[in-house]
Amino acid sequence: MTMRCGRARPHIPGRRGLARDRRGTVAIEFAFVLVVFLTILFGIIAFGFQFAARIALSYAVAEGGRSAVAGLTSAERQARASAAVTRVLTSFSPLMDPSKVAVAVTSEGQTSDGEAILVSLTYNDDRFDVFPFVPNFNATRAVETTFLVADPSG
């Protein structure tokens, strides 16, 4: 700054001085790095929610199948499986919403080892698919498993 007549005047650098002036470069570099960092961070969080939902559905279908095996009729198997799936998904609340699941229990017929029962769930929820840069892993998720009901008497 130069002083003339008691007033301070800011120094305005010429072309050569402006090219050598490095003030503010750290802030600009930080802005570039921050965008990349936040994109990666929120992508990991979004993928984590989807992965946790998939694990919860796998656990729910396994519990539903274990409960369905205890039923003697197809209606009783359906009721037991639905109750077990609802119980499991309620325990994962607020990540999972039990009202958005459809449970189906079907008999795939007799095998040489016993009766095969297919338990499948379809879960439709897109609450966590809010990040445009993370691939949508299908808002409708379907999970199924087959249980074998064997006669213990041989």
Side-chain angles (χ1 to χ4, degrees):
M1 296 244 249
T2 58
M3 292 285 276
R4 285 192 189 156
C5 300
R7 290 194 303 186
R9 219 171 33 160
H11 174 67
I12 301 173
R15 286 188 174 174
R16 291 182 189 200
L18 189 59
R20 283 183 249 154
D21 190 8
R22 300 287 183 211
R23 291 177 293 174
T25 57
V26 173
I28 293 172
E29 290 171 0
F30 177 73
F32 287 135
V33 171
L34 183 67
V35 169
V36 172
F37 174 73
L38 289 178
T39 301
I40 291 170
L41 178 71
F42 286 122
I44 290 170
I45 291 171
F47 184 75
F49 276 129
Q50 293 177 356
F51 189 66
R54 188 67 172 184
I55 290 173
L57 290 175
S58 296
Y59 179 64
V61 77
E63 288 299 313
R66 288 186 193 105
S67 295
V69 169
L72 298 176
T73 64
S74 61
E76 186 181 4
R77 288 179 179 156
Q78 178 72 36
R80 285 179 178 269
S82 296
V85 167
T86 301
R87 207 171 32 250
V88 168
L89 293 182
T90 301
S91 70
F92 281 100
S93 180
L95 177 65
M96 305 298 288
D97 186 3
S99 66
K100 297 183 178 186
V101 69
V103 181
V105 180
T106 56
S107 176
E108 294 192 326
Q110 291 289 333
T111 65
S112 60
D113 297 323
E115 181 184 5
I117 299 173
L118 176 70
V119 179
S120 60
L121 341 154
T122 304
Y123 185 76
N124 190 357
D125 189 7
D126 58 354
R127 291 178 295 161
F128 300 115
D129 299 331
V130 295
F131 299 108
F133 49 83
V134 176
N136 185 359
F137 294 111
N138 193 1
T140 302
R141 296 165 183 93
V143 181
E144 63 184 22
T145 187
T146 303
F147 282 81
L148 190 62
V149 182
D151 185 12
S153 64

